[in-house]
Amino acid sequence: MPVITCIDDLKRIYKRRAPRMFYDYAESGSWTEQTFRENTSDFDQIRLRQRVAVDMSGRSTATQMIGQDVAMPVALAPVGLTGMQCADGEIKAARAAEKFGVPFTLSTMSINSIEDVAEATSKPFWFQLYTMKDTDFVSRLIQRAKDARCSALVITLDLQILGQRHKDLKNGLSAPPKLTPSTVANLMTKWRWGLGMLGAKRRHFGNIVGHVEGVTDAANLGAWTAEQFDPTLDWGKIARIKEEWGGPVILKGILDAEDAKMALQVGADAIVVSNHGGRQLDGAISSIKALPSILDAVGDQVEVHLDSGIRSGQDILKAVAMGAKGTYIGRAFVYGLGAMGEQGVSAALEVLHKELDLSMALCGQRRINDLDRSVLMVPEDFGGRWQ
Ligand SMILES: Cc1cc2nc3c(=O)[nH]c(=O)nc-3n(C[C@H](O)[C@H](O)[C@H](O)COP(=O)(O)O)c2cc1C
């Protein structure tokens, strides 16, 4: 196994091993990718306050997210097509998360199904729901997540319609990949991926194919998803889904204080400050810049989580010290998965944990729940003066 010292090491191996179509799918933002870039560069603007001569023994990164114990304030974000980055990718990522003691969130658009992941794991995971026009299908998904003992429903609000990612259109993204001369040429250089895929449990969208009448393959499915995401989603519908689910609900994709207040009104157990990793509204503010105003608006009434741009334990420390009760990683675990399967996801979690733990120590901090803004040096105009 190569020596892995940072998330970028995993990204380099991932780029070599995964088919270009799936690497590009993960490593893209929408349109000009401004928001995608700023999600990471805005973290860099915040500095950590070094403290010395503080007893740093007996440290712990353990805490809770929505009342559930977590080894560190990190969950695996829902990522569509994870099972195309590596054979049985959702199962492998869920197992690594379970071993590490952090939540795994299964996307509606996963390759392994809810049932596959439930069968392969022993602790409850979280299920992410895209709301669709076919309300019977949504109800069946909710029931399947209940039957699988999922312990939270993450409802994604920022993808009623799809932001354009140029590379996906140019690459003809599909699951499984369509065999054109250029994909075949690229796949021939990815023998490790191909061998894995030969033995994969699934190569189609496991939550959908076979569960919706008339959807039997990827071609049908593309047309189906384009017309199925519900453009009429509103707060009333969200409240009804919450009622139908009956358990903890996390509303994902909040980037504005007014929306955070609405999420509070429909009774969210937590919200995720997120711009979908810069994949939806290009030109939107980065999540870490949006966080302070949302915390000011609702932070004392609902648990506020954050994703988009986290690539290091220092980033996690910054988000939590600013007031987020938890964070999610998308690409950081995908890089690990595409590089080395389950072992790679474990490596990503270990890297982040070590960075978080050591950086906390160097800031003179021993407990996650003691972190606050005094650990940070934030530029005066960080939130920006927007008209
Ligand atoms: C390849 C990819 C696929 C994604 N698919 C989904 C999805 O199916 N559902 C969802 O709610 N979010 C999805 N997201 C967004 C992630 O849940 C998360 O918000 C984002 O990755 C966080 O940014 P980061 O990648 O910089 O950590 C996806 C992100 C990526 C990179």
Side-chain angles (χ1 to χ4, degrees):
M1 167 145 167
V3 179
I4 303 296
T5 58
C6 60
I7 294 296
D8 248 5
D9 285 346
L10 293 166
K11 183 174 163 183
R12 272 190 293 275
I13 303 172
Y14 164 52
K15 188 173 185 181
R16 278 204 309 272
R17 294 188 175 172
R20 196 183 58 224
M21 170 185 297
F22 300 118
Y23 175 83
D24 282 352
Y25 169 62
E27 201 50 22
S28 291
S30 52
W31 289 286
T32 70
E33 303 191 330
Q34 178 188 31
T35 301
F36 172 49
R37 287 189 300 277
E38 288 182 358
N39 276 336
T40 45
S41 61
D42 283 350
F43 268 107
D44 297 341
Q45 289 185 35
I46 303 171
R47 302 289 192 277
L48 296 168
R49 256 180 93 195
Q50 172 178 303
R51 301 299 305 274
V52 295
V54 181
D55 176 4
M56 50 174 77
S57 61
R59 295 184 310 279
S60 169
T61 59
T63 180
Q64 292 198 324
M65 287 169 77
I66 57 159
Q68 300 176 17
D69 290 331
V70 291
M72 62 178 168
V74 176
L76 269 56
V79 170
L81 276 77
T82 294
M84 280 291 126
Q85 302 292 357
C86 167
D88 293 326
E90 288 87 1
I91 289 179
K92 288 173 183 160
R95 280 191 175 144
E98 178 170 307
K99 281 185 197 149
F100 201 89
V102 294
F104 170 76
T105 316
L106 184 73
S107 164
T108 294
M109 303 308 292
S110 57
I111 302 296
N112 291 128
S113 66
I114 301 174
E115 294 78 11
D116 294 339
V117 175
E119 204 182 287
T121 52
S122 56
K123 288 193 198 130
F125 55 98
W126 296 352
F127 179 66
Q128 175 264 328
L129 183 74
Y130 277 129
T131 51
M132 309 205 180
K133 288 181 205 155
D134 183 344
T135 48
D136 287 344
F137 174 61
V138 170
S139 292
R140 287 202 300 279
L141 270 180
I142 291 175
Q143 190 55 49
R144 287 167 64 193
K146 280 188 197 174
D147 293 345
R149 296 189 308 117
C150 292
S151 54
L153 187 71
V154 178
I155 308 176
T156 298
L157 305 182
D158 58 3
L159 204 143
Q160 283 166 262
I161 49 172
L162 196 66
Q164 179 170 308
R165 302 149 205 162
H166 302 324
K167 287 180 213 151
D168 292 350
L169 296 177
K170 289 180 173 137
N171 290 334
L173 177 73
S174 65
K178 284 193 202 82
L179 297 181
T180 63
S182 86
T183 52
V184 170
N186 183 248
L187 289 178
M188 277 163 62
T189 65
K190 312 289 177 184
W191 58 270
R192 196 188 298 261
W193 179 91
L195 276 181
M197 276 297 161
L198 285 177
K201 206 173 169 109
R202 287 183 205 281
R203 289 179 279 273
H204 293 288
F205 292 90
N207 291 328
I208 296 169
V209 172
H211 295 275
V212 181
E213 217 180 312
V215 178
T216 50
D217 62 25
N220 273 352
L221 188 90
W224 183 80
T225 44
E227 68 193 32
Q228 268 305 312
F229 283 83
D230 181 7
T232 68
L233 177 69
D234 59 20
W235 293 104
K237 287 189 183 175
I238 296 163
R240 284 197 290 281
I241 292 171
K242 178 177 157 51
E243 205 178 301
E244 192 174 342
W245 168 249
V249 161
I250 301 172
L251 294 183
K252 173 173 183 282
I254 306 279
L255 210 60
D256 190 277
E258 293 308 311
D259 288 338
K261 288 180 198 159
M262 293 304 296
L264 196 66
Q265 274 184 29
V266 297
D269 296 276
I271 60 172
V272 189
V273 176
S274 169
N275 53 36
H276 215 101
R279 299 164 71 79
Q280 284 294 100
L281 178 62
D282 187 36
I285 193 170
S286 67
S287 292
I288 192 67
K289 270 200 173 161
L291 181 64
S293 62
I294 292 176
L295 284 167
D296 289 348
V298 299
D300 53 346
Q301 297 165 78
V302 67
E303 213 170 289
V304 178
H305 301 167
L306 172 137
D307 78 18
S308 300
I310 290 186
R311 302 286 183 273
S312 69
Q314 288 85 346
D315 293 340
I316 298 166
L317 175 54
K318 289 171 185 176
V320 172
M322 202 169 256
K325 290 278 179 286
T327 64
Y328 298 71
I329 49 166
R331 296 179 182 88
F333 92 79
V334 171
Y335 300 159
L337 181 73
M340 290 185 286
E342 180 178 333
Q343 226 187 357
V345 179
S346 299
L349 289 168
E350 276 152 24
V351 161
L352 294 174
H353 178 259
K354 192 170 178 190
E355 289 170 342
L356 172 62
D357 176 51
L358 296 185
S359 303
M360 261 171 62
L362 295 170
C363 288
Q365 298 288 327
R366 293 191 295 186
R367 297 264 177 281
I368 289 292
N369 292 341
D370 294 343
L371 295 175
D372 61 24
R373 289 192 198 191
S374 67
V375 172
L376 305 178
M377 297 163 79
V378 183
E380 260 175 26
D381 60 348
F382 183 66
R385 289 197 195 88
W386 311 102
Q387 297 283 319

